[in-house]
Amino acid sequence: MMTILFSTYTPECLKQMTDMWNAVLLDGNAFPGEEYYSEANFADYLNGQSLVTCAWWEEELVGFFVVHPNNI
Protein backbone atom coordinates (compact mmCIF):
# COMPACT_ATOMS: atom_id res chain seq x y z
CA MET A 1 0.00 0.00 0.00
CA MET A 2 1.26 3.45 -0.92
CA THR A 3 1.14 6.01 1.88
CA ILE A 4 1.72 9.66 1.14
CA LEU A 5 2.49 11.83 4.15
CA PHE A 6 2.00 15.58 4.27
CA SER A 7 3.98 18.11 6.27
CA THR A 8 4.34 21.85 6.51
CA TYR A 9 7.11 23.33 4.35
CA THR A 10 10.46 23.87 6.06
CA PRO A 11 13.49 25.64 4.58
CA GLU A 12 15.37 22.31 4.46
CA CYS A 13 13.13 21.36 1.51
CA LEU A 14 13.80 24.57 -0.43
CA LYS A 15 16.38 23.29 -2.92
CA GLN A 16 14.31 20.25 -3.88
CA MET A 17 11.15 22.34 -4.18
CA THR A 18 12.87 24.98 -6.31
CA ASP A 19 14.28 22.29 -8.61
CA MET A 20 10.87 20.62 -8.84
CA TRP A 21 9.10 23.90 -9.69
CA ASN A 22 11.68 24.86 -12.32
CA ALA A 23 11.46 21.38 -13.90
CA VAL A 24 7.69 21.81 -14.30
CA LEU A 25 8.23 25.20 -15.95
CA LEU A 26 10.90 23.75 -18.24
CA ASP A 27 8.52 20.98 -19.32
CA GLY A 28 6.10 23.68 -20.48
CA ASN A 29 2.89 21.67 -20.04
CA ALA A 30 1.49 22.83 -16.70
CA PHE A 31 2.14 26.51 -16.00
CA PRO A 32 2.59 29.46 -18.35
CA GLY A 33 5.63 30.81 -16.50
CA GLU A 34 8.94 31.31 -18.22
CA GLU A 35 11.08 32.73 -15.43
CA TYR A 36 12.97 30.18 -13.38
CA TYR A 37 13.41 30.76 -9.68
CA SER A 38 16.62 30.95 -7.71
CA GLU A 39 16.34 29.42 -4.25
CA ALA A 40 16.21 32.88 -2.67
CA ASN A 41 13.44 34.09 -4.99
CA PHE A 42 11.48 30.87 -4.52
CA ALA A 43 11.77 31.21 -0.72
CA ASP A 44 10.27 34.70 -1.05
CA TYR A 45 7.45 33.29 -3.17
CA LEU A 46 6.72 30.52 -0.65
CA ASN A 47 6.83 32.91 2.30
CA GLY A 48 4.09 34.97 0.65
CA GLN A 49 1.64 32.04 0.47
CA SER A 50 -1.16 31.30 2.92
CA LEU A 51 -0.07 27.66 3.24
CA VAL A 52 2.72 25.52 1.79
CA THR A 53 2.51 21.75 2.25
CA CYS A 54 5.00 19.06 1.19
CA ALA A 55 4.07 15.55 0.05
CA TRP A 56 6.35 12.66 1.02
CA TRP A 57 6.48 9.06 -0.12
CA GLU A 58 8.96 6.70 1.50
CA GLU A 59 10.86 9.67 2.96
CA GLU A 60 11.27 11.30 -0.46
CA LEU A 61 9.78 14.67 -1.32
CA VAL A 62 7.48 13.91 -4.26
CA GLY A 63 5.48 17.12 -4.48
CA PHE A 64 4.08 20.15 -2.76
CA PHE A 65 1.19 22.55 -3.00
CA VAL A 66 0.54 26.16 -2.11
CA VAL A 67 -2.69 27.79 -1.01
CA HIS A 68 -3.35 31.46 -1.54
CA PRO A 69 -6.34 33.70 -2.17
CA ASN A 70 -7.71 33.30 -5.68
CA ASN A 71 -8.83 36.91 -5.85
CA ILE A 72 -8.24 39.99 -3.78
Side-chain angles (χ1 to χ4, degrees):
M1 177 170 78
M2 177 199 268
T3 301
I4 296 176
L5 301 175
F6 296 94
S7 68
T8 301
Y9 156 73
T10 62
E12 291 80 22
C13 303
L14 181 62
K15 178 175 180 2
Q16 288 176 282
M17 293 170 71
T18 305
D19 291 346
M20 197 177 293
W21 183 271
N22 287 336
V24 169
L25 289 180
L26 180 63
D27 188 42
N29 291 319
F31 297 109
E34 293 181 358
E35 290 187 35
Y36 300 107
Y37 281 100
S38 67
E39 285 183 44
N41 288 342
F42 199 59
D44 289 342
Y45 167 75
L46 294 174
N47 289 330
Q49 304 307 306
S50 299
L51 176 73
V52 181
T53 300
C54 296
W56 301 88
W57 181 55
E58 295 186 359
E59 299 183 21
E60 179 182 347
L61 180 66
V62 294
F64 63 93
F65 64 90
V66 299
V67 175
H68 53 250
N70 192 29
N71 199 346
I72 297 174

